Amino acid sequence: MYKLFFLLGILFPSLLIASTSEPKQNYMAIIMFVLFVGATLLITYWASKRTQTVSGFYTAGGNITGLQNGLAISGDFMSAASFLGISGLVYLSGFDGLIYSIGFLIGWPIILLLIAEPLRNLGKYSFADVVSFRLKQKPIRILAACGSLSTVTLYLIAQMVGAGKLIEILFGLPYYSAVTIVGALMISYVTFGGMLATTWVQIIKAVLLLFGATIIAFFVLHQFQFNIDQFFSAAVSSHDKGEAIMAPGGLISDPISAISLGLALMFGTAGLPHILMRFFTVPDAVEARKSVVYATGFIGYFYILTFIIGFGAIVLVSNNPEYLNDTGMLIGNNNMAAIHLSHAVGGDILLGFISAVAFATILAVVSGLTLAGASAISHDLYANVFLKGQSDEKKEMKISKIATISLGILAIFLGIIFEKQNVAFMVGLAFAIAATTNFPILFLSIYWKNLTTRGAVIGGSAGLILVILLVILGPVVWVDIFNNDKAIFHYKYPALFSMTVTFFGIWFFSLTDKSKASMAEKKLFKTQYFRSQTGIGIEKPSNH
Amino acid sequence: MQAKDYTKTYEQLIRTRLKILFPLIFITVSSYFSFIGVIAFNPKFFGALIVGTKISIGILLGFFLILLIFLITFTYVYLANKKIEPLIKQIQKNV
């Protein structure tokens, strides 16, 4: 019962702050947001009674169905950044938005065809379980945790800063309170409700977001009697760049960047810890497969909607003085295109709904990220490295909760520290790290017999260090943030180089590894492969 | 006799899976990198408008690619449930 009080205790202060803020009130949004938070806190209360074990905490007991998991996965992917960011990019330059949409989508067949089933068959709570199935626990877990935590932290910073700014504009809340509210709510969802609450928050939000985006797109197309040609013609004549918005613009300028960005997007998805973690919430490989099809369908549909929304904003928002400031730019910034469009086609009610959904999206996504981070700390580092697998349920559970709360507080601090920074590159870097470190070690541990601990650790860490270095020395950080004249590393997207180093390092140092331990590791491959293919011996879902 | 049975089924499982996976992986990787390749080497081609409309080839193909990606996942799951799953069930029974 005290949990319920605690949860409601979080609700009311946030209400208070929300209702006492700023003149430019958006009551509809506040009401809908409060409804969402209230409902999700009730779910958290319900889930908290079913989240007493470590397996309950990290996998929701393994009883999520394929459809539910598909929705939850698509919820993880349909972040505020991709909803507002991609529709904003489409609004700004048309076609280029499609490059990102397709890039984010192409990772899904890769996950399905190569990763999903073996992952479910071999792992328990985190992808490190799979990699350390036959390799040495300690070094592998440390490496996997480094990869996971850096991916999660970067993603988290990007979401928190985006959240603060968005809420500042939508609800008129001060940046600091916005970031704090997001952090506090996220901590309570995850600490009390674990994966079960996080999954349901994600599912509800995914449904709301798909619904909201469908409504906007419907209203937009309705204005053109669903004649796509007329719709695009109107966009071309409304946009400064004219017909150029129908063609690739400046996003990709040379072949190396094209391949490099392509690789990061294609394989990065298959290395994102918060996505991989979702495959442990379903009972078996059959449901794991199903969840990817649902997820791909929802995400693909959603990206088509964001594309229509971006173009819709070109037609209906870009020439409407109500949404522009004195310099003729969108109020807020380009990422507000979808929000303004919702007002343009659906008035205050739709604006309120979409604003509330955008906030809900951020909450759900940061919760999933935090949970993945917490599992790297408590399951990989604490239970399997620090205690060498000798930990008991109670202790691991306690550490999980402490890790969650610490990560939540850290996220709030990072959100505040990075307020004035341009964080757009961080999601890109997170994908690059995931593609460079997490994906290769996971992929090779499943499919390559000769992989050894030495190879994985040397190759994986070399790639990890290189990818971070190349981003810092590249145009995005070295020039745009440190204000140097010229980048030391010429390319914006490092994945091509860093992935090559990882794969080469792993290959070379595995093959030259003649130690006794490595022989045993190679021998174990047959057993592992049998289990990964047939699912015999997998972690069963719990019954409560 | 039984042990031999399941070894055979297991080999069949691996073969069947590869037969399904290879074409699908090939389609995934080649379609995506062709798309990215055109953007890198010949962006003008994607900018060309379809005759009589204001819709460009790039946008049309982009939509088709989204559809294709979904169809790849759908096809795999359909084939996996039909051809792979019975073999797995059979092995599980015999182990």
Side-chain angles (χ1 to χ4, degrees):
Chain A
M1 202 56 202
Y2 78 97
K3 277 178 192 158
L4 187 61
F5 281 121
F6 180 85
L7 293 174
L8 292 178
I10 293 176
L11 177 61
F12 288 112
S14 20
L15 281 186
L16 212 67
I17 304 176
S19 56
T20 50
S21 61
E22 281 298 288
K24 194 194 157 244
Q25 282 297 2
N26 186 344
Y27 290 108
M28 205 59 212
I30 292 174
I31 293 168
M32 290 191 185
F33 172 67
V34 168
L35 281 178
F36 175 82
V37 172
T40 48
L41 287 177
L42 280 178
I43 288 177
T44 307
Y45 175 65
W46 163 79
S48 68
K49 290 190 269 180
R50 285 159 183 78
T51 307
Q52 310 294 350
T53 59
V54 178
S55 130
F57 188 76
Y58 286 125
T59 70
N63 285 314
I64 303 291
T65 67
L67 173 62
Q68 290 164 351
N69 193 38
L71 273 170
I73 289 175
S74 53
D76 272 326
F77 239 58
M78 299 183 290
S79 60
S82 65
F83 176 50
L84 303 176
I86 292 184
S87 53
L89 185 59
V90 174
Y91 171 79
L92 188 70
S93 47
F95 180 89
D96 279 0
L98 204 55
I99 301 176
Y100 267 101
S101 308
I102 289 174
F104 286 138
L105 203 59
I106 198 72
W108 288 102
I110 299 293
I111 289 193
L112 174 66
L113 300 172
L114 297 174
I115 304 290
E117 293 169 55
L119 181 74
R120 179 64 193 89
N121 285 340
L122 295 172
K124 197 174 172 195
Y125 304 144
S126 70
F127 82 90
D129 294 338
V130 180
V131 187
S132 60
F133 190 92
R134 66 193 161 101
L135 304 190
K136 229 166 139 198
Q137 294 280 341
K138 200 173 158 183
I140 289 296
R141 296 260 182 196
I142 293 176
L143 173 65
C146 287
S148 296
L149 286 172
S150 35
T151 318
V152 164
T153 312
L154 288 165
Y155 229 105
L156 212 48
I157 295 174
Q159 297 291 333
M160 288 304 264
V161 175
K165 293 200 172 139
L166 180 68
I167 294 165
E168 212 175 9
I169 300 171
L170 291 183
F171 298 86
L173 268 183
Y175 182 86
Y176 300 106
S177 355
V179 170
T180 314
I181 291 177
V182 170
L185 282 169
M186 169 247 280
I187 289 175
S188 53
Y189 291 152
V190 181
T191 330
F192 294 115
M195 183 53 115
L196 190 57
T198 308
T199 303
W200 279 103
V201 170
Q202 199 61 275
I203 291 174
I204 295 175
K205 165 237 135 164
V207 172
L208 290 176
L209 184 54
L210 283 168
F211 176 72
T214 305
I215 301 266
I216 303 180
F218 178 84
F219 279 148
V220 168
L221 292 178
H222 184 72
Q223 301 211 357
F224 296 90
Q225 285 84 42
F226 297 94
N227 183 332
I228 303 292
D229 182 35
Q230 255 179 43
F231 172 57
F232 282 122
S233 306
V236 168
S237 48
S238 307
H239 204 286
D240 299 340
K241 294 178 190 160
E243 268 179 25
I245 59 170
M246 305 300 282
L251 190 68
I252 295 180
S253 43
D254 62 294
I256 300 274
S257 302
I259 297 169
S260 207
L261 175 68
L263 284 173
L265 293 174
M266 187 169 215
F267 297 110
T269 310
L272 294 177
H274 63 296
I275 299 285
L276 295 174
M277 194 176 181
R278 292 225 165 268
F279 289 102
F280 302 117
T281 66
V282 294
D284 52 34
V286 179
E287 294 297 313
R289 277 203 287 269
K290 256 195 231 163
S291 50
V292 184
V293 180
Y294 284 121
T296 314
F298 290 131
I299 298 170
Y301 171 65
F302 175 74
Y303 282 145
I304 292 177
L305 294 179
T306 51
F307 201 69
I308 296 171
I309 290 171
F311 270 93
I314 294 174
V315 183
L316 301 168
V317 172
S318 70
N319 295 315
N320 187 338
E322 196 186 335
Y323 305 113
L324 306 175
N325 61 21
D326 304 337
T327 55
M329 304 293 280
L330 274 192
I331 295 173
N333 53 40
N334 284 323
N335 287 350
M336 298 302 285
I339 305 280
H340 291 314
L341 180 65
S342 70
H343 186 256
V345 297
D348 283 342
I349 296 186
L350 194 56
L351 171 71
F353 182 74
I354 294 296
S355 307
V357 169
F359 197 166
T361 295
I362 294 164
L363 274 176
V365 172
V366 291
S367 302
L369 287 167
T370 306
L371 192 61
S375 82
I377 294 174
S378 72
H379 178 61
D380 294 333
L381 290 181
Y382 177 78
N384 283 302
V385 173
F386 187 67
L387 292 180
K388 302 191 172 68
Q390 302 300 313
S391 111
D392 60 85
E393 280 277 318
K394 246 185 167 169
K395 259 196 207 151
E396 196 173 336
M397 191 75 179
K398 205 173 138 195
I399 297 293
S400 308
K401 296 198 167 180
I402 294 175
T404 306
I405 296 170
S406 320
L407 276 172
I409 295 171
L410 180 74
I412 296 174
F413 271 111
L414 289 173
I416 291 170
I417 292 171
F418 283 92
E419 182 192 352
K420 302 263 182 273
Q421 303 295 322
N422 176 5
V423 293
F425 75 95
M426 286 190 179
V427 170
L429 178 56
F431 265 84
I433 291 179
T436 300
T437 306
N438 306 353
F439 172 75
I441 58 175
L442 179 61
F443 173 72
L444 292 174
S445 78
I446 297 172
Y447 292 104
W448 193 42
K449 182 180 154 238
N450 292 326
L451 176 73
T452 71
T453 307
R454 188 175 88 161
V457 170
I458 296 179
S461 30
L464 180 62
I465 294 166
L466 182 68
V467 72
I468 295 174
L469 260 177
L470 291 183
V471 168
I472 293 176
L473 298 178
V476 190
V477 175
W478 198 252
V479 179
D480 296 352
I481 293 182
F482 292 158
N483 294 321
N484 292 299
D485 290 334
K486 242 185 128 187
I488 298 175
F489 176 68
H490 178 68
Y491 297 104
K492 234 167 145 180
Y493 311 105
L496 176 61
F497 305 93
S498 55
M499 280 180 85
T500 310
V501 166
T502 306
F503 274 107
F504 179 80
I506 293 179
W507 172 79
F508 183 79
F509 289 101
S510 288
L511 281 189
T512 53
D513 188 355
K514 300 288 176 211
S515 64
K516 251 196 185 142
S518 74
M519 296 300 158
E521 284 164 357
K522 286 174 192 170
K523 248 191 185 155
L524 243 158
F525 181 76
K526 228 176 139 186
T527 319
Q528 180 202 293
Y529 198 68
F530 181 73
R531 174 164 157 180
S532 80
Q533 295 295 311
T534 62
I536 290 167
I538 71 168
E539 296 291 331
K540 290 267 184 287
S542 59
N543 292 320
H544 52 85
Chain B
M1 189 63 200
Q2 242 186 12
K4 202 180 160 199
D5 272 348
Y6 106 75
T7 324
K8 257 195 174 159
T9 325
Y10 180 58
E11 278 163 9
Q12 199 189 341
L13 168 72
I14 305 293
R15 267 202 315 273
T16 315
R17 207 190 273 274
L18 286 181
K19 248 193 242 163
I20 296 173
L21 282 182
F22 268 115
L24 289 176
I25 292 174
F26 178 77
I27 296 171
T28 309
V29 175
S30 58
S31 62
Y32 178 59
F33 280 100
S34 327
F35 185 77
I36 289 285
V38 173
I39 293 169
F41 290 105
N42 192 4
K44 287 218 175 79
F45 171 70
F46 272 179
L49 298 180
I50 294 160
V51 183
T53 69
K54 284 281 180 200
I55 303 169
S56 67
I57 292 177
I59 285 182
L60 190 72
L61 288 179
F63 277 102
F64 276 128
L65 189 49
I66 291 179
L67 198 67
L68 178 72
I69 292 171
F70 174 73
L71 285 178
I72 291 169
T73 60
F74 184 84
T75 311
Y76 173 72
V77 172
Y78 175 78
L79 291 174
N81 287 343
K82 208 174 145 191
K83 299 199 163 153
I84 296 177
E85 216 45 45
L87 293 172
I88 293 178
K89 287 273 141 47
Q90 209 178 329
I91 297 171
Q92 283 172 344
K93 245 193 328 208
N94 287 331
V95 169

